[in-house]
Amino acid sequence: MSETLPVAAFWILALASLGGAVAMMATRNVVHAAFWLLEVMLATAGIYLLLSAEFLALVQVLVYAGAVAVLTLFTVMLTLRRREDAVREFPVAWGSMAIASLFTGGILLVLARFRPALAQVPETIPGVEAFGEQMFTTWALPFELASIVLLAALVGAVWWTGGEDL
Amino acid sequence: MQSPAFDHLVVGAFLLFGVVFVAVTVFASNLLSPKGKDEPNRLEPYECGVEPVGPPWVQFRVGYYVYALLFVVFDIETVFLYPWAVSFNKMGLFVLTEMTIFIAILAAGLAYAWKEGALRWR
């Protein structure tokens, strides 16, 4: 009971995220692809939660599944004038497929050859409180820099869209 | 503080409730909706019961992108407020200044968007 339930949850979430990624690449409609991306993000949040990284799961749901997915859909709706534009035929890119297969094969080969030690989940998992302490002391500067990055994105978007005149 | 296993069960219960709720709703609407190929409204998009006006596919104004980005920016700020609030009691004034600077920088961006008229609804 204590082992099978998390393992089952992991397999469900892993298959959901991989299957969603495959479906995202396979669909020819850009809007459908955006929704599949949302599904992959939510499944990944579930995997984070399974690893007891609750804050990361929260960020994944609120920021990625919440905000970034909205941004993706906005971008699609901004750039496509007609419904028909969202559906694209795509030719099978054999060259890219070969390179991707070689890359995946290489990684699997290295993993099989060197067998890196699997990381163990620690006995006690630090909670959000410990995380906050670390973030606001050791990582105070990167935290403040993050606001500068967000500011740059916001100012850039306002400038790019022309503010008043548009 | 409950054990993580209990917390996960709560999350699982929420997930189950969500799936069952959607399944029941879709099944119920399938049960209640008119059937048959001749039904003229069968392929109409559902717009909260109101007659749909115009095509469902519209191109957004580029100005809306700023709203989406503002949402992303302040969403991230809200997420950071959570560990901040949890560790606030222990750290006190130091984290208060830190968060004030963080919010002030983001507020400057909001003020710029406001000044440029990007927030005016058109």
Side-chain angles (χ1 to χ4, degrees):
Chain A
M1 168 65 194
S2 60
E3 270 302 304
T4 49
L5 204 59
V7 170
F10 170 77
W11 278 108
I12 291 170
L13 290 168
L15 284 177
S17 96
L18 283 179
V22 169
M24 187 188 99
M25 298 311 292
T27 180
R28 276 181 292 171
N29 191 322
V30 191
V31 178
H32 295 181
F35 276 102
W36 278 116
L37 179 64
L38 176 62
E39 192 264 356
V40 172
M41 285 164 169
L42 287 174
T44 316
I47 291 177
Y48 290 155
L49 202 65
L50 216 56
L51 290 167
S52 299
E54 47 179 60
F55 182 71
L56 202 57
L58 182 84
V59 170
Q60 180 79 12
V61 171
L62 279 182
V63 176
Y64 282 89
V68 174
V70 166
L71 209 58
T72 314
L73 279 170
F74 258 67
T75 314
V76 169
M77 297 302 284
L78 277 172
T79 48
L80 302 179
R81 197 170 282 280
R82 292 167 304 132
R83 192 189 198 126
E84 293 75 42
D85 292 341
V87 187
R88 305 257 163 101
E89 296 284 342
F90 51 79
V92 182
W94 294 106
S96 312
M97 219 135 106
I99 293 173
S101 311
L102 271 177
F103 182 71
T104 314
I107 285 187
L108 287 178
L109 193 73
V110 168
L111 281 180
R113 178 79 179 72
F114 294 102
R115 295 194 168 279
L118 292 174
Q120 293 292 317
V121 176
E123 285 292 308
T124 54
I125 291 125
V128 179
E129 197 170 345
F131 172 80
E133 271 170 46
Q134 279 289 310
M135 188 164 98
F136 294 114
T137 53
T138 319
W139 307 103
L141 191 64
F143 169 68
E144 297 295 349
L145 282 178
S147 71
I148 306 278
V149 173
L150 292 173
L151 179 70
L154 191 53
V155 170
V158 170
W159 184 79
W160 210 256
T161 54
E164 189 100 57
D165 356 303
L166 213 89
Chain B
M1 197 76 118
Q2 278 104 8
S3 71
F6 179 78
D7 288 345
H8 286 177
L9 275 185
V10 172
V11 173
F14 263 101
L15 211 64
L16 193 71
F17 178 76
V19 170
V20 168
F21 183 80
V22 170
V24 167
T25 327
V26 169
F27 178 71
S29 88
N30 193 37
L31 218 63
L32 294 170
S33 64
K35 297 272 167 10
K37 278 211 161 53
D38 310 325
E39 182 57 48
N41 295 331
R42 206 171 69 95
L43 293 174
E44 285 285 294
Y46 179 68
E47 220 171 78
C48 298
V50 185
E51 298 253 328
V53 177
W57 189 279
V58 286
Q59 191 182 21
F60 288 3
R61 299 176 62 91
V62 74
Y64 290 138
Y65 189 78
V66 175
Y67 291 98
L69 209 70
L70 271 171
F71 172 53
V72 172
V73 166
F74 287 98
D75 201 31
I76 293 170
E77 187 216 293
T78 313
V79 161
F80 279 146
L81 278 175
Y82 171 49
W84 176 77
V86 171
S87 61
F88 183 75
N89 267 344
K90 230 176 195 172
M91 321 258 299
L93 205 61
F94 179 63
V95 283
L96 183 65
T97 7
E98 236 179 297
M99 191 47 93
T100 311
I101 296 170
F102 187 83
I103 294 177
I105 292 170
L106 295 187
L110 183 63
Y112 175 71
W114 195 350
K115 192 200 109 216
E116 291 292 307
L119 298 184
R120 192 165 305 148
W121 191 258
R122 278 159 301 190

